[in-house]
Amino acid sequence: MTSTPDIRIVPLREPEIPALVALARAIWHDHYPSIVGIAQIEYMLDQRYRPEVIRSQLGRDDVWWDALRVDDALAGFVACERGEAAGEIKLDKLYVASHLQGRGLGTRLLRHAEQRAVSLGAHRIYLQVNRNNLSAIATYRRNGYAVAAETVFDIGNGFVMDDYVMAKSLAPDCGR
Ligand SMILES: CC(C)(COP(=O)(O)OP(=O)(O)OC[C@H]1O[C@@H](n2cnc3c(N)ncnc32)[C@H](O)[C@@H]1OP(=O)(O)O)[C@@H](O)C(=O)NCCC(=O)NCCS
C-alpha cells in the first residue's frame, strides 16, 4: 500500500539554494528546449538562478521564495515579489519537478502565493508566461487567471521573451 505523501510549502532556506538551482536547471532543460531553445535557457538560468542572485533576494522584504517539499525532498518552488502597482503581487516563478507534474502540486503552490498576496493586502496577482508554454497557460487558466496583455521583453544578448501577462483578481477569502 502506498502512503499519502507528506506535502509542505515552507520558506526557502539559504542552505537549500544549491538544490533549488539544480532542480530549476533540470526542469528548464526538460521543459523549455522546444519553447525557447538551449542557448536562451542557459542565458536565463544564469540571469535568474545564480546562487548569489537568490541569496540576495532571500534578504529582501519585497521578495518571497517558498519551497515545496514532498516527503522532505525539494520538489518545486514558487517566488513572488511586490508588483509594479500598489496592491499587486507578481508571481515571478512557479516550478514543479518534472516527474511530479500533473498531480495538483502546482495548483497548491499557486494557492499559497495567492494567500500570501491577500495577506499582504493585494487585490491582484499577475505573472508572465511564454506564449508557447501551453501547459502552464492551461494551468493558470484553470486556476482563474486570464490574459491581460501580450508583451515582448528584450532580455539582452539578442534574446526576447514573447509573453502573456496573465492576472487574477483576489477576493479577501481567496485561496482558502
Ligand atoms: C506549470 C506547473 C508549475 C504546473 O504545476 P503542476 O503540478 O503540473 O500543475 P497541476 O498538477 O496543479 O495542474 C496541471 C494538471 O494536473 C491536473 N491535476 C490537478 N490535480 C491533480 C491530481 N490530484 N492528480 C492528477 N492530476 C491533477 C490538472 O487538472 C491539470 O491537468 P490537465 O492539464 O489534464 O487539465 C508545472 O507543470 C511546471 O513546473 N511546468 C514547467 C515549468 C513551467 O512552465 N513553469 C511555469 C512558468 S510561467
Side-chain angles (χ1 to χ4, degrees), residues 27-28 31-32 35 92-98 100-109 127-130 133 135-140 142-143:
I27 298 170
W28 276 62
H31 188 71
Y32 284 122
I35 299 177
D92 192 48
K93 298 179 179 70
L94 179 74
Y95 291 89
V96 171
S98 305
L100 294 173
Q101 291 171 9
R103 301 176 188 204
L105 295 170
T107 298
R108 280 194 194 220
L109 285 170
L127 57 92
Q128 285 173 221
V129 58
N130 186 292
N133 192 352
S135 54
I137 291 168
T139 301
Y140 294 133
R142 265 191 306 277
N143 281 284

Side-chain angles (χ1 to χ4, degrees), residues 26-100:
I27 298 170
W28 276 62
H29 278 279
D30 280 344
H31 188 71
Y32 284 122
S34 64
I35 299 177
V36 296
I38 299 290
Q40 186 163 342
I41 288 174
E42 286 300 331
Y43 180 73
M44 293 182 72
L45 283 172
D46 185 60
Q47 269 191 333
R48 292 145 187 251
Y49 292 94
R50 251 178 297 121
E52 62 270 27
V53 171
I54 300 173
R55 202 169 294 123
S56 73
Q57 291 183 350
L58 288 185
R60 285 169 51 177
D61 61 5
D62 58 352
V63 182
W64 298 269
W65 279 87
D66 290 297
L68 169 71
R69 304 193 69 84
V70 176
D71 291 335
D72 222 25
L74 184 67
F77 56 92
V78 61
C80 296
E81 59 189 42
R82 279 210 192 276
E84 283 174 13
E88 297 192 346
I89 291 292
K90 181 179 181 190
L91 180 87
D92 192 48
K93 298 179 179 70
L94 179 74
Y95 291 89
V96 171
S98 305
H99 69 289
L100 294 173

